[in-house]
Amino acid sequence: HIDNYNEEEMIEQLIPKYQKIQYTLTNLPIVKQKLKLTQKMALKGLSTTTIHEILKNLEYDEDIDDAFEKDLNKIKTKTNNENKIIHKLLMLGYTYDYIKRHIDV
């Protein structure tokens, strides 16, 4: 029980730190935010269960439409090929379903 208590206490102390880091990543899709946060935490030596608990406790801004529109317009200036546009948006971390719902090439 002592180990679990210490882990829970550690998670509670780390959440505010990673909320600040997450705030700097709000211009990225949620998938990319989680990936970058996971990488940062793994580099610090946190266990996968601890990382998962911290990610679960962070709040993610579901309103990524502005960032998506900006990325989409940037890509459209370079190409009009729908497949290339979708591929580049996928590489930026947007999900295929999200892209298909919001794209009108």
Side-chain angles (χ1 to χ4, degrees), residues 3-37:
D3 290 335
N4 288 340
Y5 179 74
N6 288 337
E7 177 130 354
E8 289 172 12
E9 196 174 81
M10 180 179 69
I11 290 169
E12 286 179 25
Q13 291 174 356
L14 288 173
I15 288 172
K17 174 184 178 180
Y18 286 102
Q19 282 174 330
K20 289 178 185 175
I21 294 170
Q22 181 196 20
Y23 181 75
T24 65
L25 304 172
T26 54
N27 61 329
L28 299 173
I30 294 170
V31 174
K32 284 284 190 181
Q33 288 180 31
K34 288 182 178 181
L35 178 66
K36 288 195 177 279
L37 288 167

Side-chain angles (χ1 to χ4, degrees), residues 7 11 46-56:
E7 177 130 354
I11 290 169
L46 298 177
S47 70
T48 54
T49 53
T50 304
I51 292 171
H52 180 69
E53 284 299 314
I54 293 171
L55 289 176
K56 218 168 56 173

